[in-house]
Amino acid sequence: MKHIKAMAIKFVATIVVLFVILDVIFGMSFTNVFFISLVLSVVSYLVGDIGILSRTNNTVATIADFGLSLIVIWFLSAALTFENRTPLFIISLISAAAIALVEIVFHKYVSSYTFEKESDDFLPKHRYYYSNNYQTEASKDITPEIEKNKENK
C-alpha cells in the first residue's frame, strides 16, 4: 500500500509539472502529456526510486532520474508529436530539470515513509558494543628476553 500511495503522489507531481511545461508553455496536447506522465512515473519509480534510491543516496537517484526523464520525455514526445515547432531536445531538457527538482523532495518522502528501516536487532546490546571503552595494556613482560638483553648491553 505504501508503494501505491508513493506512485500516485509521483504521478500527480509529474503530470502537474509536465502539464505546465509541455501543455501550457509548448502547446502539447493533454493526452500526450498524460501518457508521457504515466510512463515516466512508472518507469522512474521502478528504476529510480526502488532500484537506485534504495541502494544509494538522494543525489545519485536524482541524477539518475534526470537522465531517465530526459530520455523518456524526449523519446515519447518525438514519437507522439508530429509537429516540429520547437526542438524537442530543449523541451525535454527543461522538463527533465523540472522533474529532477521535484524528485529531490519526493526522494526524501520515499526514503522516510516507504522504505523499511533496517533494525539493529541482530546487534548485541552490551554496553561496550557502542562505545570505545576498550583498553589494552602492554608491558615489558611480553618479551622478557629482548628487554633483558637490552639491559645487559
Side-chain angles (χ1 to χ4, degrees):
M1 188 66 181
K2 293 178 187 178
H3 291 289
I4 294 172
K5 182 179 177 184
M7 191 177 273
I9 291 171
K10 185 177 191 89
F11 174 71
V12 169
T14 303
I15 199 165
V16 166
V17 168
L18 291 182
F19 175 76
V20 169
I21 294 173
L22 296 178
D23 191 9
V24 174
I25 296 175
F26 293 107
M28 190 179 286
S29 71
F30 180 75
T31 309
N32 292 344
V33 172
F34 182 84
F35 182 71
I36 292 171
S37 299
L38 183 66
V39 171
L40 181 63
S41 296
V42 171
V43 170
S44 177
Y45 187 75
L46 294 175
V47 173
D49 299 333
I50 293 177
I52 297 173
L53 181 63
S54 64
R55 292 175 178 85
T56 61
N57 59 9
N58 192 357
T59 305
V60 174
T62 302
I63 292 169
D65 277 334
F66 171 77
L68 184 67
S69 298
L70 178 66
I71 292 168
V72 168
I73 293 169
W74 189 15
F75 177 74
L76 289 178
S77 61
L80 295 174
T81 59
F82 300 108
E83 303 164 359
N84 196 6
R85 292 176 296 215
T86 312
L88 291 178
F89 181 75
I90 302 298
I91 295 171
S92 303
L93 192 65
I94 294 169
S95 301
I99 293 290
L101 291 175
V102 171
E103 290 289 334
I104 293 171
V105 177
F106 181 72
H107 288 162
K108 291 180 182 179
Y109 168 78
V110 170
S111 296
S112 299
Y113 297 107
T114 305
F115 296 141
E116 297 294 325
K117 303 272 191 268
E118 293 181 10
S119 66
D120 293 350
D121 293 341
F122 64 92
L123 298 175
K125 301 300 182 203
H126 192 269
R127 65 184 176 112
Y128 291 114
Y129 185 78
Y130 293 107
S131 65
N132 294 325
N133 291 335
Y134 295 113
Q135 293 181 345
T136 58
E137 183 176 324
S139 69
K140 295 179 181 179
D141 295 335
I142 295 176
T143 55
E145 293 83 27
I146 296 173
E147 294 300 325
K148 189 184 248 188
N149 291 337
K150 285 183 183 177
E151 291 174 3
N152 292 337
K153 289 184 181 181

